[in-house]
Amino acid sequence: MTKLIFLLLLIPFVSYGGEVKVFFKIAVDERAYSTFLLENLGAGHSALHDLASRLKEKHLELDKVQKDFYNIKIDYGMKYNGHDVAQYDIVPILPDRFRHVLLVDEKWDQILRREVYDPDGKLIYAYSFEDRDGELKPAVEMPKPAVSAGRDEFPGFKPVFKKELKDGTIQTLYSDGLNKFSVFISKAEGEVKDSARILYGNYVYRKKVGETLYTVVGTIPFPQMEKVVARLAFKEEK
């Protein structure tokens, strides 16, 4: 449960207006999936409920997607649960980030279904709205700490969120407009084994460099996470 709560730091909270039913399928680890209807999660699953709520995003902002890094195929004129939708198949040009397949309501530009796949084609998480003919409402996004935009530290990814946690850990969230990853930098305490695993819809990579512990969480593959840590560790040494 501690690991699940840790993942809640990854994505700033985004809320949909109204009461809607959201069905989730999420990779719990490398072998197992969990499927659930979001509203049916009881108090004993509050952390999983919160994580799923953060993974679902309000709408597709295609203008923010770094198109130099993706091939985008759009099919219009489709129907989904009574809504007119377009299907977006957004495939990375290189295997350095994840593929997203989305059904988007043409009236509100809101995402009604999303599937996220890693470079090996494994489903990492998916969600869909189960209400039929339901009226969508504009979403409300909670404010988050701003980060000054500079040049891309990592190809296509810009820092969009940064904060210091209570224990002194520094978290920075990077986004290319579609995929995201957070880097947590903290002081290493004791022996820490390097690790790379899938955990509740995210890749999680942890590596100790000197006296610093780097943890990367998000939707980029492990080789890319290794490069992120190497780049940041090199900057720290300079």
Side-chain angles (χ1 to χ4, degrees):
M1 183 58 69
T2 300
K3 294 178 180 177
L4 178 54
I5 293 173
F6 169 76
L7 288 177
L8 297 180
L9 298 170
L10 173 62
I11 302 174
F13 182 73
V14 175
S15 174
Y16 278 84
E19 296 296 327
V20 293
K21 296 179 180 178
V22 187
F23 177 81
F24 259 89
K25 181 174 183 178
I26 191 168
V28 176
D29 53 29
E30 290 78 1
R31 298 174 299 277
Y33 286 91
S34 177
T35 58
F36 53 89
L37 190 63
L38 195 58
E39 69 173 13
N40 288 346
L41 289 179
H45 298 87
S46 58
L48 182 57
H49 183 286
D50 200 3
L51 175 64
S53 297
R54 292 166 188 258
L55 286 176
K56 65 180 177 65
E57 294 185 342
K58 60 178 183 178
H59 59 261
L60 175 64
E61 296 178 291
L62 198 59
D63 59 319
K64 294 184 178 180
V65 176
Q66 298 297 309
K67 298 178 182 62
D68 290 343
F69 299 90
Y70 294 98
N71 289 317
I72 303 175
K73 179 183 178 183
I74 308 174
D75 291 322
Y76 295 99
M78 301 177 66
K79 284 282 188 180
Y80 179 77
N81 285 352
H83 296 276
D84 294 318
V85 300
Q87 177 176 283
Y88 293 76
D89 191 355
I90 308 178
V91 183
I93 294 173
L94 298 175
D96 60 353
R97 60 203 75 201
F98 289 6
R99 174 191 176 195
H100 293 241
V101 181
L102 307 99
L103 293 180
V104 179
D105 180 85
E106 293 187 11
K107 178 181 179 181
W108 291 104
D109 285 333
Q110 288 192 357
I111 299 169
L112 300 182
R113 180 177 177 85
R114 185 186 211 118
E115 299 171 0
V116 180
Y117 298 90
D118 72 7
D120 294 326
K122 177 182 174 63
L123 178 68
I124 299 301
Y125 69 86
Y127 59 82
S128 62
F129 292 87
E130 297 301 297
D131 284 1
R132 294 185 177 275
D133 303 313
E135 182 66 20
L136 297 175
K137 298 180 180 180
V140 177
E141 185 172 0
M142 300 298 289
K144 52 185 179 285
V147 175
S148 299
R151 68 180 184 85
D152 297 354
E153 278 191 281
F154 312 108
F157 287 94
K158 296 182 182 295
V160 296
F161 175 93
K162 187 172 185 177
K163 68 181 296 186
E164 182 174 352
L165 307 182
K166 291 181 179 179
D167 64 356
T169 298
I170 301 297
Q171 177 201 3
T172 306
L173 174 66
Y174 297 85
S175 174
D176 68 355
L178 188 68
N179 285 290
K180 302 178 180 69
F181 66 90
S182 276
V183 180
F184 299 85
I185 302 177
S186 60
K187 183 178 180 180
E189 297 182 359
E191 292 297 321
V192 179
K193 290 185 178 180
D194 295 350
S195 63
R197 61 175 303 189
I198 297 172
L199 185 64
Y200 289 101
N202 287 279
Y203 270 36
V204 181
Y205 177 77
R206 177 170 289 185
K207 185 176 181 63
K208 180 182 177 183
V209 181
E211 299 302 315
T212 303
L213 179 63
Y214 296 87
T215 304
V216 186
V217 183
T219 53
I220 58 173
F222 295 128
Q224 197 67 16
M225 290 182 168
E226 291 180 29
K227 293 178 181 179
V228 167
V229 171
R231 167 70 175 168
L232 294 175
F234 177 76
K235 287 178 61 178
E236 288 291 323
E237 292 175 358
K238 293 178 67 176

